[in-house]
Amino acid sequence: MSYVTHIRSVSAIVAALVVSTTTAAAQGSSPVGRIKVLSGSAFIVRASGVVPAQLGQPLFEADGIRTADGRVGFTLNDDTRLSLGANSEIRLERFEYAPGEGRFAFLLRIVSGVTTYISGRIARLSSDSVRIETPAAIIGVRGAHLAIDVGTP
């Protein structure tokens, strides 16, 4: 192996490690939920790009979820359940569930389409920590089941 080939190989390995470390750091240290139901086309929007959604796929804080002709349902670590209808988009702006440390936060931004929400433990333990935003309103949740349709203006 020539010196130039060796340097290129080492450079490629270092670049791959930097990209994977950056992606993991951007997504947080652990998943905040998982996709439980999926039909049709749906996508996860991350800083690193858009990937097709798959059953069982982990979701991370700051992920966006977008559907085309599909529907997707997922459960977060506090047992919050969300589902999106066709042509819908949301963003998991903030999620923190650390009951042993008394830290709770949930901020969901509904961009478009139809979303259903069933509150989990964060809403039961610290209802002031839950916020759902739409283009026209901010909703404070006190433990609820909601269906929200954010249409086009």
Side-chain angles (χ1 to χ4, degrees):
M1 177 183 300
S2 74
Y3 178 75
V4 172
T5 304
H6 179 71
I7 293 297
R8 284 184 183 155
S9 296
V10 170
S11 296
I13 291 169
V14 169
L17 288 172
V18 168
V19 168
S20 66
T21 303
T22 303
T23 301
Q27 292 176 344
S29 60
S30 61
V32 300
R34 293 203 178 274
I35 294 176
K36 299 289 188 171
V37 178
L38 178 64
S39 68
S41 299
F43 305 91
I44 307 301
V45 181
R46 296 190 166 131
S48 60
V50 178
V51 296
Q54 299 175 358
L55 277 175
Q57 184 173 17
L59 298 171
F60 296 89
E61 184 177 45
D63 275 355
I65 298 93
R66 180 185 308 151
T67 61
D69 63 344
R71 300 180 193 312
V72 64
F74 52 96
T75 302
L76 301 179
N77 293 346
D78 75 325
D79 289 327
T80 292
R81 289 175 287 179
L82 293 152
S83 62
L84 280 70
N87 302 308
S88 299
E89 183 176 357
I90 64 163
R91 289 190 205 117
L92 295 170
E93 296 288 342
R94 179 118 167 82
F95 184 88
E96 184 173 16
Y97 179 62
E101 300 165 21
R103 293 194 333 247
F104 308 98
F106 179 67
L107 171 56
L108 175 71
R109 181 162 291 135
I110 302 173
V111 178
S112 62
V114 176
T115 302
T116 59
Y117 162 88
I118 299 174
S119 61
R121 287 190 216 108
I122 291 175
R124 290 183 196 91
L125 296 171
S126 179
S127 60
D128 290 339
S129 299
V130 177
R131 202 164 90 179
I132 298 173
E133 296 180 354
T134 73
I138 296 174
I139 302 164
V141 176
R142 304 293 176 255
H145 299 18
L146 303 172
I148 301 168
D149 185 352
V150 175
T152 56

